[in-house]
Amino acid sequence: MGVKNLWDVLESCKKTVPLNHLQNKRVCVDLSCWLEQLQKVSKSHASLKEKVYLRGLFHRLRALIALNCSVVFVADGSIPAIKLSTYRRRLNVGKEVAQNETDLQKVTSLRRNMGSEFSCMIKEAKVLGMALGISCLNGMEEAEAQCALLNFELLCDGCFSQDSDIFLFGARTVYRDICLGDGGYVVCYEMADIERKLGFGRDLLIALSLLLGSDYYQGVHGLGPESACQIVKSIGDKFVLKKITSEGLGWVKRRKGGGNNLQRDDNIVQVISAYMKPKCHAADSDMVQRVLAQYPFQRIKLQQICAEFFQWTSEKTDGYILPSIAERDLRRFANLRLTSSEVGLNLPLHEIPMKCPVSEIIKSRRVQGRECYEVFWEEMDGLETSIAPADLLESACPEKIVEFEEKKAQRKKQNIQKRRPKKKETMLSVTELDLKLQNLLFDNNNLEDQANLDPSDSSRGILATAVAEANLLIPNDTEHNGLVQNINNISSNEAVSNVDKNEVIDLLSPLPPKQSHSSSKCQQCSDHIEVINLSDSENDMSPEHTEKAKELRLFLASIRNEIH
């Protein structure tokens, strides 16, 4: 519980910050508070048997590991003597026991029952944590007091606890709640905000606990949080504990206009001392230094634990934890590059002593509205690919992003080159081309009869042009080959001479075998596509032939435009 109504008093100082606020930080966790919170999800026997609380702990830890957030578990030690009455009341032992412990100087702390159900849950959490590389510090008494000391001595950046009296023990940054939903967040309280917004220092908070009640003291009956805050603030942070130590709490009732019915309580001094000087491991002790050291991740051990506790396969366990481990390693690599650049050492990627965890970027992704990349990991046993945040890759290995973008642009360029242009919907059909060519040929024959021209001269030149252009423009597929072949056949001298003026020619139907004496000029025209010459007698054509030749050229030009 901590201090009664203290979270309500501190409500204006509450901040909700993104989960990635914890990246690259070290936090200590009041393990009992976390397990009690996770146990409340479901209190059924089935949930305990399936260890739902332990699964929740596992997922919290892997989220923090991915952020390169170093976690230290802190477990409760013995129950402080000053807290025994409260502890036994919670266990419904009764008031008679509490009344026999009014003289705290004769009472010692009580060792916890290590065989209880909750103590077994603590043991399981420690085992799971060690496999993940998370150590545990067993406190001498209160876990929140030990967490507060580590935070006060700057050995950690913040504390996770739901006991509000952690501020009274000296904590500066407290995380009360954590959520792993969309994006994730933590609820944070800073002592600097409490001092600035509310004017409460550590001494005033201890005095407030004596008025409101806490795990260590029952408080003043009938006094609400607003009145209590006004009373302690009127005295001030520097003098409030001195006044309470010398006068007790009798002046509180007098201040409210009541009688002096509060007797001097000698236990108040012990309560103040318990908050100001709690029993904890010293910050420079060997035990604390060992716990703060980095411990390795034990993959095989974790697989065995998850198989025993959750009945997970090794593949499922790896699928949960290995991406988090890989992301943590990438953050450490990014920190190394940042530190190097701050001291003026900007080394290329291949010259950095530590090998980059990312081998190659596969593709860009978007996960929960956040830009990410799917990457190949370098020498990550059990993990080939996973998703990593884009901003992390930008800080860790921007060279990999440049390489990925260059390859992406190259692939796009190659795809464009390979892509064949589509035929336009307005392209003329084979039948339409056939009919137009027939009309042009008939008009040409009529002009020959009128001018008594030799078909081997100008008409052959026009037809040669048609053959060459048709071979160039008409697509090379089965449907159009018939048209090109018919044009070639018509261009022969014998075919032109045998055409009857009143005969209807079907260019798609088979024609008689072509004679061997084909026009040499037609062959030259079909062989040379880029430069097309008309017959030698083109300059001698009549105006009608010239007009027809021009019309044929325009027609072929229109075919070219429609195809391209």
Side-chain angles (χ1 to χ4, degrees):
M1 177 188 76
V3 179
K4 185 179 180 182
N5 296 325
L6 183 56
W7 289 123
D8 296 333
V9 173
L10 304 179
E11 179 68 21
S12 62
C13 299
K14 180 175 74 172
K15 296 186 297 185
T16 301
V17 296
L19 188 62
N20 60 15
H21 171 80
L22 299 177
Q23 65 179 340
N24 303 323
K25 296 186 184 302
R26 169 177 281 154
V27 297
C28 51
V29 175
D30 185 344
L31 189 54
S32 297
C33 285
W34 263 21
L35 290 182
E36 287 176 358
Q37 187 183 45
L38 292 167
Q39 190 182 20
K40 290 178 181 178
V41 175
S42 180
K43 294 184 178 181
S44 65
H45 177 72
S47 67
L48 291 175
K49 186 177 180 181
E50 295 175 0
K51 302 188 184 301
V52 175
Y53 59 91
L54 207 57
R55 294 189 191 191
L57 178 64
F58 172 82
H59 291 301
R60 281 189 181 183
L61 293 176
R62 74 183 183 93
L64 296 178
I65 287 172
L67 294 171
N68 190 34
C69 178
S70 300
V71 180
V72 176
F73 285 158
V74 180
D76 287 314
S78 300
I79 302 170
I82 200 170
K83 191 178 179 179
L84 283 176
S85 58
T86 300
Y87 179 74
R88 285 175 174 163
R89 273 200 305 271
R90 289 176 183 172
L91 296 178
N92 295 321
V93 176
K95 293 183 179 180
E96 185 176 352
V97 177
Q99 291 172 354
N100 293 332
E101 296 171 350
T102 54
D103 188 357
L104 296 178
Q105 294 179 350
K106 298 179 181 180
V107 180
T108 59
S109 59
L110 178 67
R111 185 177 177 83
R112 295 180 186 273
N113 180 9
M114 303 307 293
S116 66
E117 184 180 81
F118 192 75
S119 295
C120 291
M121 293 168 60
I122 295 290
K123 291 178 183 177
E124 293 171 346
K126 290 179 181 179
V127 171
L128 180 64
M130 284 301 296
L132 291 169
I134 297 170
S135 58
C136 182
L137 176 61
N138 294 314
M140 297 178 67
E141 288 187 346
E142 298 276 49
E144 63 265 33
Q146 187 69 63
C147 289
L149 176 65
L150 297 177
N151 186 214
F152 185 79
E153 296 290 342
L154 304 180
L155 295 179
C156 70
D157 299 295
C159 317
F160 273 98
S161 180
Q162 289 189 314
D163 290 336
S164 58
D165 56 2
I166 192 170
F167 295 104
L168 284 59
F169 290 119
R172 303 296 300 176
T173 301
V174 177
Y175 303 110
R176 185 182 179 189
D177 293 311
I178 179 172
C179 176
L180 304 181
D182 294 341
Y185 65 87
V186 289
V187 176
C188 177
Y189 296 81
E190 298 278 357
M191 192 64 190
D193 294 335
I194 296 173
E195 293 168 345
R196 178 174 54 85
K197 292 183 178 181
L198 302 179
F200 288 147
R202 183 178 178 185
D203 288 0
L204 277 178
L205 291 177
I206 293 174
L208 195 61
S209 73
L210 293 170
L211 301 184
L212 296 177
S214 67
D215 291 341
Y216 292 176
Y217 195 76
Q218 61 183 358
V220 177
H221 180 71
L223 191 63
E226 292 186 6
S227 299
C229 290
Q230 292 175 358
I231 291 173
V232 297
K233 287 179 71 174
S234 65
I235 301 173
D237 193 65
K238 293 183 179 179
F239 308 103
V240 65
L241 291 184
K242 292 180 180 179
K243 184 175 181 64
I244 292 176
T245 301
S246 61
E247 300 181 23
L249 295 176
W251 55 272
V252 176
K253 286 292 185 180
R254 292 197 301 271
R255 188 179 183 87
K256 295 185 65 177
N260 186 14
N261 56 358
L262 278 178
Q263 300 296 321
R264 179 181 176 83
D265 190 346
D266 294 331
N267 290 337
I268 289 179
V269 177
Q270 281 77 24
V271 172
I272 295 174
S273 179
Y275 284 127
M276 296 298 294
K277 299 177 181 180
K279 290 184 179 181
C280 298
H281 297 291
D284 58 354
S285 65
D286 292 339
M287 181 172 291
V288 170
Q289 296 303 316
R290 285 197 303 270
V291 167
L292 295 180
Q294 285 189 355
Y295 286 80
F297 162 59
Q298 305 175 49
R299 180 187 173 199
I300 303 302
K301 183 66 175 177
L302 181 66
Q303 291 174 351
Q304 295 171 349
I305 292 172
C306 292
E308 178 185 351
F309 289 162
F310 314 137
Q311 289 75 51
W312 289 353
T313 63
S314 297
E315 292 75 16
K316 185 173 183 178
T317 302
D318 285 348
Y320 276 131
I321 195 60
L322 291 185
S324 298
I325 297 293
E327 186 173 332
R328 180 197 65 184
D329 293 345
L330 186 59
R331 290 187 189 278
R332 291 179 177 176
F333 184 81
N335 293 339
L336 175 64
R337 297 201 74 176
L338 177 61
T339 304
S340 300
S341 64
E342 288 175 349
V343 298
L345 189 61
N346 296 311
L347 295 175
L349 187 63
H350 64 278
E351 294 183 9
I352 298 176
M354 179 180 175
K355 195 170 185 179
C356 179
V358 173
S359 171
E360 181 184 359
I361 297 177
I362 304 173
K363 63 176 70 173
S364 58
R365 293 287 191 91
R366 192 171 184 86
V367 180
Q368 295 179 347
R370 187 179 184 185
E371 296 296 332
C372 298
Y373 289 106
E374 183 178 354
V375 302
F376 276 118
W377 296 103
E378 186 79 39
E379 299 177 359
M380 185 68 181
D381 188 23
L383 180 67
E384 292 186 357
T385 66
S386 68
I387 307 299
D391 57 349
L392 174 57
L393 285 162
E394 182 64 37
S395 60
C397 48
E399 298 89 344
K400 298 290 184 180
I401 298 179
V402 173
E403 180 183 339
F404 166 72
E405 294 296 340
E406 289 176 350
K407 289 183 178 179
K408 183 179 178 181
Q410 184 64 27
R411 289 194 299 267
K412 185 177 181 180
K413 183 178 180 180
Q414 292 175 353
N415 291 336
I416 292 175
Q417 291 175 349
K418 291 180 180 179
R419 192 178 304 148
R420 296 181 62 183
K422 296 182 179 179
K423 298 179 182 178
K424 295 183 179 180
E425 294 181 358
T426 59
M427 184 180 293
L428 295 177
S429 65
V430 177
T431 305
E432 292 172 330
L433 292 174
D434 192 0
L435 292 175
K436 285 193 175 186
L437 285 173
Q438 286 186 52
N439 293 332
L440 288 171
L441 291 173
F442 284 135
D443 291 341
N444 182 66
N445 291 331
N446 291 334
L447 289 173
E448 289 174 359
D449 292 341
Q450 295 172 7
N452 295 319
L453 294 176
D454 185 358
S456 62
D457 296 331
S458 61
S459 60
R460 185 172 300 169
I462 296 173
L463 290 176
T465 303
V467 170
E469 297 255 359
N471 277 304
L472 173 65
L473 299 178
I474 300 176
N476 186 22
D477 54 36
T478 304
E479 180 182 10
H480 294 77
N481 283 341
L483 177 59
V484 176
Q485 182 63 38
N486 287 339
I487 296 174
N488 286 328
N489 293 336
I490 295 174
S491 66
S492 65
N493 185 39
E494 182 176 348
V496 172
S497 61
N498 292 332
V499 172
D500 185 76
K501 296 180 181 181
N502 299 322
E503 183 182 359
V504 178
I505 302 176
D506 183 3
L507 293 181
L508 294 179
S509 62
L511 289 178
K514 186 166 58 174
Q515 299 297 326
S516 59
H517 52 282
S518 300
S519 173
S520 60
K521 289 186 180 182
C522 291
Q523 292 176 353
Q524 292 176 359
C525 290
S526 61
D527 291 339
H528 300 282
I529 296 175
E530 294 184 357
V531 179
I532 302 175
N533 296 320
L534 295 177
S535 66
D536 294 336
S537 61
E538 180 181 1
N539 295 329
D540 298 330
M541 288 184 183
S542 66
E544 291 83 357
H545 278 82
T546 303
E547 183 65 26
K548 271 302 174 183
K550 181 179 179 181
E551 184 179 348
L552 182 58
R553 287 193 185 93
L554 292 175
F555 168 66
L556 294 174
S558 67
I559 298 176
R560 181 187 297 108
N561 294 334
E562 290 170 351
I563 291 177
H564 296 287

